[in-house]
Amino acid sequence: MGLRDFCEYETIKLVRIRSVKLGSLKWSINGTILAFICIMLVWNKEYQEHDYVVSSVTAKVKGVAVTKDSDLEGVLWDVADHSGLSQGKDSFFVVTNAIVTKNQKQGSCPEVPDSGKKCRSNKDCTKGYTDQKSNGVQTGKCVDFDSSVKTCEVFAWCPIEKRRVGPKPAILGSAENFTVLIKNNIGFPNFNYTNRNILPHMNDTYLRGCVFNRTTDPYCPIFRLGDIVQEARENFTEMAIEGGVIAIQINWECNLDRLFHKCIPEYSFRRLDEKNSNKTIFPGLNFRFARNYKQNGVEERTLFKTYGIRFDVMVFGKAGKFSAVQLIIYIGSTLSYYALTTVLLDWFITTYVHPSCCSKEVKSNYTGKKYESVDLKQSPLYVSFVDEDHIAVVKGPFRKSLQEMKPAAVQVRRLHNESMRECLSLLQRPPSRSKDMEMREVRQTGENLKEHETNPPLWCRCGQCHPMPSLQEQLCCRRSAGHCISTSATFSRLVLDRQTLESVLLYRGPLLDLSQAHTSTKWLRHCAYSQYTQWRFGDVEPGSCSVIPSCSVWKIRERYPSVEGQYTGLCCEKRVLIKHDQGDK
């Protein structure tokens, strides 16, 4: 590839169809695509540059409750009791139920049957043995747990916790009236913008009296726990028994454009854990902790197995600001959608054919001009039947005669004005021989043909064809039965007339020497092929292979035979089917 080949410009070939219906369909599709692009541009704010939120969260719970359980009747729980236990970043935990085991101290006592091993004698217990379920280390003794069951004795905090299920109702069911203040500070670093969920109009007086309400006060940062659970479509009384996990979602969708500036939080709530205890192993949320103390010099403790609700605060957000670069990128990316118009119309024309829109002839003609198949092994063959107005394009592979092959496409015969004038001037000239002489030559040629004549091949429709060696040459001048083109006066004057052919040869090569019989006969035969091709095919594409029917080929060969009696046959290397040095077709 040289510099000139590199400095070239290539463009796409377009085919224009003048049709009101197709034109209307094209503009309808283009209009729909344009409307879709504009709607998406505004709806998704594709003209903006975006940045994602960076945030921090703090929470402060307030509320007190008095337990009503028989073991803890009259005990007051304040913030330090029910919300002092941290559960991680951006979350807080509120105790709603508990199992309390008082006055535990280290010593030996029987293991609980659910956690330990049942036994009959000391042989069933192993001193020093422990497992994941046990509450202590076995001493090797088998003792009575109650009047009916014996278990291995363990060294543990005694008495061991015996209750396995939390009280019903929950001892801190009134925790639904607790409130929590959530402070959320957010920022968008790319835009150097910061904000918080305590909005500018919220002063101390407002915050002392507001509680979040979806309808009346949707931006208040103070939430009632019962309302949070209700917004998550759960029942606080039921959830408080075993506990669970609730997500508090804060979504910041900010528009930082000056004319449409908006950046306020939106709250939503949902439950994260599986709420169906019948289908879940270890449902809810619980954990144990102890409060140790000394009584009479002996260390003791109170064990709490607490159930509660953990609230995870999740912050999402995206901010957008106008950017000319993003707008240009969006417009450039959406221009490719207009290719759908071409795809849909091509499919409509080539696949769906309706008489009111596109006939089969229009479809075939459009397909031939729009799509071009290239076969590196074999060029397409062009066929012109005298009883059809178009040129058929036939492509291989050939498994039967060219006459019987279905065309891959059809083309309109195109004649240049110069070629038309040349043909008409040749036809208007007086013949080089009288009509009687021409008829005598035709009859003589027919008699010569009869000497070699056999029955016409099966693919012949005019009755004048001869067998041909290759499938590509097995072609008649007609698609259906009828008179042969070689019997017409135009064929005789334009293709076979010697004076006509000599005039054409001298017009193309003024210095040709036609006095030598051998050379002139070959040139005249070649010229006859060229005359037939230009007459019947007109202006075909360069590199195309125009096939002359068998009947016409043999008429030309009989009038201008090869001295050696050998002919090359079909040759597609040039526009006319000739070979200058090795005989001819």
Side-chain angles (χ1 to χ4, degrees):
M1 177 182 289
L3 181 60
R4 290 188 177 182
D5 296 330
F6 180 76
C7 298
E8 291 181 349
Y9 173 74
E10 298 177 356
T11 185
I12 300 175
K13 177 182 178 181
L14 300 177
V15 178
R16 176 177 295 176
I17 301 177
R18 300 185 180 276
S19 171
V20 176
K21 294 182 179 179
L22 291 178
S24 302
L25 181 60
K26 179 193 77 171
W27 288 113
S28 298
I29 297 175
N30 285 341
T32 303
I33 293 175
L34 178 62
F36 172 79
I37 292 174
C38 294
I39 291 173
M40 297 304 294
L41 175 67
V42 177
W43 185 267
N44 291 334
K45 298 181 177 61
E46 298 290 348
Y47 54 85
Q48 290 184 334
E49 179 185 1
H50 296 96
D51 189 21
Y52 291 93
V53 69
V54 176
S55 75
S56 65
V57 174
T58 59
K60 188 175 182 180
V61 180
K62 287 187 176 182
V64 294
V66 178
T67 59
K68 299 180 181 180
D69 183 71
S70 58
D71 295 335
L72 295 173
E73 185 175 356
V75 177
L76 178 69
W77 291 63
D78 61 8
V79 175
D81 297 317
H82 58 67
S83 301
L85 302 173
S86 175
Q87 289 287 308
K89 181 182 177 182
D90 298 342
S91 65
F92 60 93
F93 179 82
V94 177
V95 176
T96 58
N97 205 1
I99 299 175
V100 182
T101 306
K102 298 180 180 180
N103 304 323
Q104 281 188 327
K105 57 185 177 181
Q106 293 185 13
S108 297
C109 53
E111 179 65 280
V112 179
D114 293 340
S115 301
K117 181 179 180 182
K118 295 180 182 180
C119 61
R120 293 183 180 180
S121 64
N122 293 339
K123 294 181 180 180
D124 296 329
C125 301
T126 304
K127 185 177 180 180
Y129 175 79
T130 184
D131 59 25
Q132 294 179 350
K133 294 183 179 181
S134 63
N135 292 288
V137 180
Q138 292 184 14
T139 63
K141 296 181 180 180
C142 181
V143 297
D144 294 330
F145 176 78
D146 55 28
S147 60
S148 61
V149 177
K150 285 186 175 183
T151 59
C152 292
E153 185 183 60
V154 293
F155 178 74
W157 286 93
C158 301
I160 295 174
E161 178 185 272
K162 298 178 180 180
R163 192 169 184 174
R164 294 302 179 186
V165 181
K168 294 183 181 181
I171 64 173
L172 288 177
S174 59
E176 64 178 333
N177 295 317
F178 295 172
T179 60
V180 57
L181 169 64
I182 297 177
K183 293 186 290 185
N184 179 211
N185 295 276
I186 60 102
F188 297 100
N190 289 351
F191 303 133
N192 195 25
Y193 178 84
T194 59
N195 201 351
R196 63 176 185 166
N197 67 329
I198 300 178
L199 303 179
H201 70 276
M202 298 179 181
N203 52 30
D204 185 65
T205 304
Y206 171 81
L207 292 176
R208 288 180 181 274
C210 81
V211 176
F212 174 86
N213 183 280
R214 179 70 65 187
T215 304
T216 59
D217 204 346
Y219 303 116
C220 178
I222 299 175
F223 304 84
R224 180 176 170 271
L225 300 188
D227 294 339
I228 293 177
V229 175
Q230 185 178 2
E231 285 280 340
R233 299 182 180 181
E234 297 293 336
N235 185 287
F236 190 93
T237 302
E238 296 177 358
M239 191 174 183
I241 297 173
E242 294 181 334
V245 183
I246 295 290
I248 302 174
Q249 297 173 324
I250 307 177
N251 188 28
W252 295 84
E253 289 292 336
C254 297
N255 188 343
L256 302 184
D257 293 337
R258 291 185 178 180
L259 296 178
F260 306 99
H261 187 279
K262 181 182 179 182
C263 193
I264 55 178
E266 294 182 0
Y267 301 97
S268 60
F269 313 89
R270 66 188 182 93
R271 184 167 183 173
L272 297 180
D273 66 311
E274 176 60 54
K275 66 180 181 178
N276 193 341
S277 60
N278 296 328
K279 298 181 180 179
T280 306
I281 300 176
F282 307 119
L285 176 63
N286 64 80
F287 60 91
R288 290 177 175 87
F289 71 93
R291 291 177 180 174
N292 292 39
Y293 57 91
K294 284 188 177 183
Q295 185 172 356
N296 299 325
V298 179
E299 186 175 5
E300 297 184 6
R301 74 175 187 179
T302 300
L303 178 64
F304 294 86
K305 180 181 180 181
T306 57
Y307 300 83
I309 303 175
R310 191 183 74 199
F311 296 89
D312 294 339
V313 183
M314 303 177 179
V315 182
F316 309 91
K318 184 175 69 173
K321 194 173 184 180
F322 177 79
S323 172
V325 174
Q326 291 298 321
L327 179 61
I328 294 174
I329 292 175
Y330 175 76
I331 294 175
S333 62
T334 54
L335 289 178
S336 59
Y337 293 165
Y338 285 101
L340 292 174
T341 303
T342 303
V343 173
L344 292 175
L345 287 179
D346 285 350
W347 174 85
F348 182 80
I349 296 173
T350 58
T351 304
Y352 178 77
V353 180
H354 194 275
S356 63
C357 179
C358 302
S359 62
K360 291 184 178 180
E361 290 75 12
V362 172
K363 169 188 172 182
S364 181
N365 189 23
Y366 174 80
T367 303
K369 291 183 178 296
K370 179 71 175 181
Y371 307 101
E372 182 177 358
S373 300
V374 178
D375 189 351
L376 299 179
K377 297 182 179 180
Q378 187 174 21
S379 301
L381 304 181
Y382 290 74
V383 176
S384 176
F385 293 107
V386 70
D387 52 349
E388 292 182 354
D389 295 333
H390 54 260
I391 296 175
V393 181
V394 183
K395 300 179 181 180
F398 292 89
R399 295 183 175 86
K400 52 187 177 181
S401 66
L402 180 61
Q403 177 74 25
E404 298 170 334
M405 291 287 291
K406 293 184 179 180
V410 295
Q411 294 184 0
V412 179
R413 185 182 291 107
R414 295 175 296 179
L415 293 176
H416 283 177
N417 293 333
E418 181 180 353
S419 300
M420 290 288 292
R421 287 194 298 269
E422 181 181 350
C423 291
L424 292 175
S425 63
L426 292 174
L427 291 175
Q428 291 173 359
R429 292 182 55 182
S432 58
R433 298 170 178 79
S434 64
K435 291 185 178 180
D436 293 340
M437 186 177 296
E438 286 185 355
M439 293 302 297
R440 203 177 305 119
E441 289 181 353
V442 170
R443 285 194 297 270
Q444 184 178 357
T445 301
E447 292 175 358
N448 293 336
L449 290 174
K450 288 181 180 179
E451 296 178 1
H452 307 87
E453 189 178 52
T454 59
N455 293 328
L458 296 177
W459 45 265
C460 178
R461 301 292 183 269
C462 66
Q464 302 294 326
C465 297
H466 288 225
M468 303 300 285
S470 65
L471 295 175
Q472 292 89 334
E473 296 177 278
Q474 296 177 4
L475 178 69
C476 183
C477 64
R478 303 183 61 87
R479 175 72 75 178
S480 57
H483 295 289
C484 182
I485 190 174
S486 63
T487 61
S488 66
T490 304
F491 181 87
S492 178
R493 292 284 304 277
L494 195 61
V495 178
L496 297 181
D497 184 73
R498 186 182 186 91
Q499 184 179 0
T500 299
L501 298 178
E502 289 178 349
S503 299
V504 172
L505 288 173
L506 293 175
Y507 175 79
R508 297 178 180 176
L511 301 180
L512 285 177
D513 184 7
L514 301 178
S515 60
Q516 298 181 7
H518 172 72
T519 305
S520 62
T521 301
K522 181 176 67 174
W523 285 344
L524 290 172
R525 186 170 64 253
H526 293 174
C527 185
Y529 292 145
S530 177
Q531 284 292 98
Y532 184 92
T533 303
Q534 190 168 3
W535 170 40
R536 293 302 307 158
F537 292 91
D539 184 33
V540 295
E541 297 180 358
S544 61
C545 186
S546 305
V547 182
I548 303 176
S550 171
C551 50
S552 302
V553 168
W554 282 101
K555 288 288 186 181
I556 296 172
R557 288 178 179 177
E558 290 293 336
R559 179 64 62 90
Y560 305 104
S562 171
V563 176
E564 296 83 357
Q566 297 180 355
Y567 303 94
T568 302
L570 181 62
C571 178
C572 295
E573 295 180 0
K574 297 187 179 182
R575 179 182 171 186
V576 292
L577 310 177
I578 60 175
K579 286 283 187 180
H580 293 287
D581 299 323
Q582 301 177 1
D584 202 353
K585 174 183 173 183

